[in-house]
Amino acid sequence: MKNSAFLVFAGLFLLVSCNTKSDKPKTEAAEATETAAAVTKTTPQKTTANDAATILSKKEVPILCYHNIKELKAGDGEMTKTYTVSPRNFAQQMKALSDAGYHSILPNQLYDYLAYDVPLPSNPVMITFDDTRGEQFSIGAAEMKKYGFKGVFFVMTVSIGRPGYMSKEQIKNLSDSGNTVAAHTWDHHMVTKYAGDDWNTQLVKPKAKLEEIIGKPVTYFAYPFGLWNKAAIPELKKSGYQMAYILATKRDSVDPLYTIRRIIVAGQWSTPSTMEAIKSSFH
């Protein structure tokens, strides 16, 4: 009888313990992880990709494009001023994104969201960098790391290892650290002017070189100057790219995955202006 009473008491104790919530509050990160896990369990996995109309109807994710992160010099022209964000402003912008509750995402997440309806974290944003500049590694990646952000680095392969540009080791470090390394042609020639072997020189060879450096597939591409034409899309597909990025122009109605919109963060913008552009530029 004593043993039976003990077992009943023990069972009741365990039942109460398992159904009693902890007094310790959950962190926001823990709650987000649990929510994501619940969504993953209850959301059916699609096997057929969405058509173009469905992709175009989905809410756009804000995608920022940076080039230079440095101080301007006396005599720099308007174009340079537009493409150059000071280190101080870049730091302020990353902090503002974090304070506003944004979560950085990468192209594989965007692809799954657009093509297969896989949920994204709350307040998603993508942070991208063009042209392989060295300060994108030394300042950009380092500043993002403070807030747990990951970025997308579109590499122009002709510049690798040149003064002022990233080395192979830095590019691999970015990839190994969880950032995405993607292609931005060999030497930044406009895609709209390609003919003959240009497709191999500007699409195929850069992809192979980057894959050799990082040891991973490279399946994303950014058009130089954001300029594209319909002739480029079948060449990108044939070369093994899943998505391609333009700037703030209209997406293609047939192949929207190959015309993903971004905005250049202009050097003349204040941090509040940048935050407002994020809200107003993507629908």
Side-chain angles (χ1 to χ4, degrees):
M1 287 294 291
K2 287 183 178 179
N3 288 339
S4 298
F6 174 77
L7 290 173
V8 170
F9 176 78
L12 287 171
F13 177 78
L14 288 172
L15 182 63
V16 171
S17 298
C18 290
N19 287 280
T20 301
K21 293 183 179 178
S22 171
D23 292 331
K24 185 178 180 181
K26 295 177 184 176
T27 64
E28 183 180 344
E31 288 180 348
T33 301
E34 287 184 9
T35 301
V39 170
T40 301
K41 289 178 182 177
T42 58
T43 304
Q45 294 298 310
K46 291 189 62 166
T47 56
T48 304
N50 289 326
D51 59 20
T54 303
I55 290 170
L56 287 166
S57 71
K58 296 175 78 71
K59 182 173 175 57
E60 289 183 274
V61 171
I63 305 178
L64 309 180
C65 175
Y66 291 94
H67 289 79
N68 307 317
I69 309 173
K70 63 182 183 180
E71 301 295 345
L72 289 168
K73 298 176 183 177
D76 281 338
E78 285 304 308
M79 183 66 74
T80 300
K81 291 177 182 177
T82 296
Y83 280 76
T84 303
V85 174
S86 72
R88 181 173 177 270
N89 283 351
F90 182 81
Q92 288 180 347
Q93 290 161 12
M94 293 303 103
K95 184 178 186 302
L97 287 172
S98 179
D99 289 347
Y102 281 95
H103 297 90
S104 67
I105 68 164
L106 295 174
N108 62 315
Q109 293 170 278
L110 181 64
Y111 180 86
D112 288 344
Y113 160 70
L114 293 173
Y116 295 102
D117 300 333
V118 176
L120 291 173
S122 60
N123 294 328
V125 66
M126 189 181 293
I127 306 165
T128 73
F129 303 84
D130 287 7
D131 299 350
T132 334
R133 297 286 181 181
E135 68 267 15
Q136 296 171 2
F137 176 85
S138 60
I139 299 173
E143 201 63 44
M144 287 194 299
K145 187 177 180 181
K146 294 178 182 179
Y147 306 101
F149 292 159
K150 302 296 181 184
V152 188
F153 294 81
F154 290 105
V155 175
M156 178 176 58
T157 51
V158 71
S159 62
I160 297 174
R162 291 185 175 182
Y165 293 88
M166 284 190 268
S167 66
K168 289 182 180 179
E169 292 75 20
Q170 288 173 327
I171 292 168
K172 187 171 190 316
N173 181 288
L174 288 171
S175 177
D176 290 346
S177 300
N179 300 282
T180 294
V181 171
H184 195 41
T185 74
W186 176 57
D187 64 353
H188 213 267
H189 272 55
M190 292 182 189
V191 168
T192 53
K193 296 185 177 181
Y194 292 176
D197 198 51
D198 289 339
W199 300 108
N200 184 54
T201 300
Q202 303 290 353
L203 301 184
V204 178
K205 288 184 178 179
K207 182 179 190 294
K209 182 168 186 175
L210 291 172
E211 289 176 340
E212 181 184 354
I213 291 171
I214 67 174
K216 300 173 187 174
V218 170
T219 55
Y220 309 110
F221 177 85
Y223 300 95
F225 311 103
L227 299 176
W228 64 282
N229 58 12
K230 286 188 177 289
I233 294 176
E235 295 292 340
L236 285 162
K237 291 179 179 179
K238 188 168 65 177
S239 302
Y241 293 99
Q242 275 190 323
M243 285 198 305
Y245 292 76
I246 59 175
L247 290 173
T249 52
K250 188 176 179 180
R251 293 177 289 173
D252 184 62
S253 61
V254 178
D255 285 297
L257 290 176
Y258 289 85
T259 50
I260 302 292
R261 292 179 64 250
R262 303 184 291 166
I263 58 170
I264 292 175
V265 179
Q268 298 93 332
W269 291 357
S270 65
T271 295
S273 297
T274 302
M275 300 303 289
E276 181 56 37
I278 290 172
K279 295 177 181 177
S280 64
S281 300
F282 298 92
H283 308 286

